[in-house]
Amino acid sequence: MKIAIDGMGGDNAPQAVVEGVVSALKEYSGIEYYITGPKEKIEEELNKYKYDKNLVKIIDAREVVSTNEHPVMALKKKKDSSIYKALKLVKDKECDAIISAGSTGAFLAGCTLVVGRIKGIERPALAPIMPGKNGHFMIIDAGANVDCKPSYLVQFAKMGKVYFKEVMKKDNPSIGLVNIGEEEEKGNELTKNAYKLLKEEAKLNFVGNIEPRETSKGDVDVLVCDGFVGNTLLKMYEGVAMTLLKIIKEEILSSGLMGKLGALLLKPVFSNIKKKFDYTEVGGAPFLGVDGICIKAHGSSDGKAFKNAINQTKKFYDNNVLEKIKLELQNNM
Amino acid sequence: MKIAIDGMGGDNAPQAVVEGVVSALKEYSGIEYYITGPKEKIEEELNKYKYDKNLVKIIDAREVVSTNEHPVMALKKKKDSSIYKALKLVKDKECDAIISAGSTGAFLAGCTLVVGRIKGIERPALAPIMPGKNGHFMIIDAGANVDCKPSYLVQFAKMGKVYFKEVMKKDNPSIGLVNIGEEEEKGNELTKNAYKLLKEEAKLNFVGNIEPRETSKGDVDVLVCDGFVGNTLLKMYEGVAMTLLKIIKEEILSSGLMGKLGALLLKPVFSNIKKKFDYTEVGGAPFLGVDGICIKAHGSSDGKAFKNAINQTKKFYDNNVLEKIKLELQNNM
């Protein structure tokens, strides 16, 4: 397969991007990489490593879209940007997939406008996979659509189901509707109406409402919600965990010798926990519903995270997820 | 002051309720308590303690509204329930305040229908105070109004400001709009329009959007949002923290001798953290915008939590918060 890589996307670009590509070259076979960005900069990074030069192409791009720019405006103006050129490679079918760790707004807008939607999809949705206590779970939509209609949520559920089944290898994944109450009649206009539609979908393993406090357990595989609520879940998840770990650290530092000794002895325990909650292990978040494999890597991705995003992209491709999503939607329409 | 106490509300009623009242009797002066519930049951609990009998009245009520019942239906049907009778005491001005740890739905519906709204208030809002890393913060609305108009959020901000100033004793409290993005143009229809209205309120210390991941720091005092998002914040906060602490515990238990020794040494650190995050310390959540002092205690309240809710109710009364809320709204209308 051929992957277009936004060489200048993310906080640590292009170093982390190139490092990720070179690691992936060693680990996975059958992939060609098209890295977009200023030729000399990308080359300089690549020259730090030994790698098979036949598998890496540099596509020169002189501009960068930053996270501070208006996504749509920036894409329209900067046709010579690393993100635009990577998107174009997918649009023109020169590449099968795109990965970017750059501006989420520009990525989502670009995938929709340049790559385009799958026919019949009302709104594509961002679908990160999160590590939960008892297993991984997906949040769909995590921020692409802040105002949703009930029918969007049904499509999110269908797309999430296919992805979770094929990439996360879970048969008949459970679908939950994020709601502030378990009972069917709870919630706002959107969730009440989405519930009615979801329970009519015989092919979905719809398990009803799931309350926010239950989400982090990971007992429900695919969490369906509008992008405002999904983004809130995602950010609270990261935020609360980080705040709590920071408080633990501060309390330990301000405790006596015994506390510090205790912390030392617990170091392996804490590093285990950190590993368990390391969402970079999963890779990036797929943007489902666009007519191409579009993976958003975390903005702070390091080389390893970027390599994992490549792994995820490969699974997306190898398992023919895009075609299966199209099929799932046709069968149900 | 006179407080109506729903004697049968909460998981541990009437034991915890009576225990809380008796502790409060010892600690605070100038309060009379009207406990509603089956006379013999409440008496049985009270008889376990020595207390000033002149300050406690039992109002016999033979029914209980459970959390499984439809709030409005239950209130209409069960006029002899502990919650209804407590609400009636406030409605009839026999009591100045009501505290209940019972069904949140029934409490919110009852306060609105029986006690009634303050004139000019579009929607009353539930406003719990949460412990954050750097200080306490309020979430308003935390679940009373799942579908909101922008103007509601402005009223939430004004009511929250008064309460936070008077009860939490913070001058000119900062007001943040919960949103998935910092910039003014980010968010959904509701937040975009609420932002425009909030920034025009010269008397509010409006600090702009606050992203969910920042909320638990406690750097912004009053977090304004619709009830769906607020409830999500609240429940994620509790849920993620609990999940994380559970994981830490499990990892320690499955670690070797050294890990267990480490945990033992860290015990004071963890109990410090638990204390810091003990939201029962703050008391209950005020339901702001109704024409009476209405405090919702946590369903799982023990005696101490209930006592703290009484303390909060006293501060609400002593600082004349209700009148100040009315004034704040008049001055701005």
Side-chain angles (χ1 to χ4, degrees), chain B residues 15-17 19-21 23 301-308:
Chain B
Q15 296 85 348
V17 176
E19 190 193 322
V21 168
S23 313
S301 291
D302 58 10
K304 199 190 81 182
F306 210 88
K307 190 207 73 181
N308 289 330

Side-chain angles (χ1 to χ4, degrees), chain A residues 141-156:
Chain A
D141 173 36
N145 310 283
V146 288
D147 292 298
C148 284
K149 291 184 188 166
S151 58
Y152 301 177
L153 269 60
V154 177
Q155 292 196 334
F156 297 169

Side-chain angles (χ1 to χ4, degrees), chain A residues 133 143 146-147 178-180 187-189 191 211-213 215-217 227-229 231-233 235-248 250-252 255 258-259 261-263 265-266 269-270 272-273 276-277, chain B residues 133 143 146-147 178-180 187-189 191 211-213 215-217 227-229 231-233 235-248 250-252 255 258-259 261-263 265-266 269-270 272-273 276-277:
Chain A
K133 185 174 171 293
V146 288
D147 292 298
V178 180
N179 202 351
I180 60 165
N188 55 16
E189 282 309 307
T191 58
E211 292 190 82
R213 66 181 306 149
T215 55
S216 58
K217 289 185 183 164
F228 195 100
V229 167
N231 198 271
T232 299
L233 282 185
K235 298 295 172 60
M236 278 300 282
Y237 195 54
E238 295 174 2
V240 174
M242 242 162 44
T243 300
L244 195 64
L245 291 175
K246 223 175 259 173
I247 288 173
I248 292 174
E250 281 178 16
E251 288 285 335
I252 286 171
S255 73
M258 286 302 174
L261 180 61
L265 293 170
L266 277 182
V269 168
F270 279 111
N272 248 351
I273 293 168
K276 205 168 175 173
F277 275 88
Chain B
K133 185 173 172 292
V146 288
D147 291 297
V178 180
N179 203 350
I180 59 165
N188 55 16
E189 282 310 306
T191 58
E211 293 190 83
R213 67 181 307 150
T215 55
S216 58
K217 289 184 184 164
F228 195 101
V229 167
N231 199 271
T232 300
L233 282 185
K235 298 295 171 59
M236 279 299 282
Y237 196 55
E238 294 174 1
V240 175
M242 242 162 44
T243 300
L244 196 63
L245 290 174
K246 222 174 262 173
I247 289 173
I248 292 174
E250 281 179 15
E251 288 284 336
I252 286 171
S255 72
M258 286 303 173
L261 179 62
L265 293 170
L266 276 182
V269 168
F270 280 112
N272 248 352
I273 293 169
K276 205 166 174 176
F277 274 88

Side-chain angles (χ1 to χ4, degrees), chain A residues 109-168:
Chain A
C111 292
T112 310
L113 299 175
V114 181
V115 178
R117 276 182 278 173
I118 291 174
K119 216 184 137 194
I121 287 286
E122 293 181 281
R123 294 284 186 285
L126 191 63
I129 305 281
M130 306 295 293
K133 185 174 171 293
N134 306 323
H136 285 87
F137 62 92
M138 167 189 276
I139 301 174
I140 183 167
D141 173 36
N145 310 283
V146 288
D147 292 298
C148 284
K149 291 184 188 166
S151 58
Y152 301 177
L153 269 60
V154 177
Q155 292 196 334
F156 297 169
K158 289 177 186 174
M159 296 192 291
K161 168 195 163 182
V162 173
Y163 185 88
F164 212 89
K165 185 177 172 217
E166 301 298 333
V167 175
M168 303 305 288

Side-chain angles (χ1 to χ4, degrees), chain B residues 110-331:
Chain B
C111 292
T112 311
L113 298 174
V114 182
V115 178
R117 277 181 277 172
I118 292 172
K119 215 184 137 193
I121 287 286
E122 295 181 281
R123 293 284 186 286
L126 191 63
I129 305 282
M130 306 295 293
K133 185 173 172 292
N134 305 323
H136 286 87
F137 62 93
M138 167 189 277
I139 300 174
I140 183 167
D141 172 36
N145 310 283
V146 288
D147 291 297
C148 285
K149 291 182 187 167
S151 58
Y152 301 176
L153 269 59
V154 177
Q155 291 196 336
F156 297 169
K158 288 176 186 174
M159 296 191 292
K161 169 197 162 178
V162 173
Y163 185 87
F164 212 91
K165 185 177 171 216
E166 300 299 333
V167 175
M168 303 305 286
K169 296 293 170 201
K170 174 117 179 215
D171 272 337
N172 203 21
S174 54
I175 315 282
L177 176 65
V178 180
N179 203 350
I180 59 165
E182 267 184 63
E183 302 84 358
E184 179 170 350
E185 66 277 8
K186 287 282 169 74
N188 55 16
E189 282 310 306
L190 174 65
T191 58
K192 276 188 239 179
N193 289 314
Y195 193 106
K196 283 182 204 151
L197 296 180
L198 284 165
K199 75 171 184 180
E200 275 162 24
E201 294 287 338
K203 284 188 183 172
L204 289 180
N205 179 15
F206 179 54
V207 297
N209 289 326
I210 171 163
E211 293 190 83
R213 67 181 307 150
E214 304 297 322
T215 55
S216 58
K217 289 184 184 164
D219 292 331
V220 176
D221 301 322
V222 177
L223 308 182
V224 174
C225 50
D226 71 62
F228 195 101
V229 167
N231 199 271
T232 300
L233 282 185
L234 182 70
K235 298 295 171 59
M236 279 299 282
Y237 196 55
E238 294 174 1
V240 175
M242 242 162 44
T243 300
L244 196 63
L245 290 174
K246 222 174 262 173
I247 289 173
I248 292 174
K249 207 174 166 181
E250 281 179 15
E251 288 284 336
I252 286 171
L253 285 174
S254 69
S255 72
L257 192 64
M258 286 303 173
K260 286 189 187 93
L261 179 62
L264 201 66
L265 293 170
L266 276 182
K267 233 181 173 173
V269 168
F270 280 112
S271 85
N272 248 352
I273 293 169
K274 258 199 169 157
K275 218 175 148 185
K276 205 166 174 176
F277 274 88
D278 184 6
Y279 50 90
T280 64
E281 283 287 336
V282 192
F287 188 44
L288 301 176
V290 283
D291 201 6
I293 302 174
C294 300
I295 305 287
K296 174 70 185 69
H298 207 283
S300 63
S301 291
D302 58 10
K304 199 190 81 182
F306 210 88
K307 190 207 73 181
N308 289 330
I310 293 170
N311 183 26
Q312 191 192 6
T313 309
K314 182 175 154 57
K315 283 186 198 166
F316 199 129
Y317 180 82
D318 290 347
N319 291 294
N320 223 352
V321 175
L322 202 56
E323 288 312 310
K324 283 174 185 159
I325 285 179
K326 290 177 187 173
L327 218 64
E328 175 82 21
L329 282 149
Q330 275 165 12
N331 283 347

Side-chain angles (χ1 to χ4, degrees), chain A residues 90-106:
Chain A
V90 180
K91 167 76 182 166
D92 297 342
K93 309 284 178 201
E94 286 189 57
C95 285
D96 307 294
I98 172 177
I99 306 174
S100 174
S103 155
T104 306

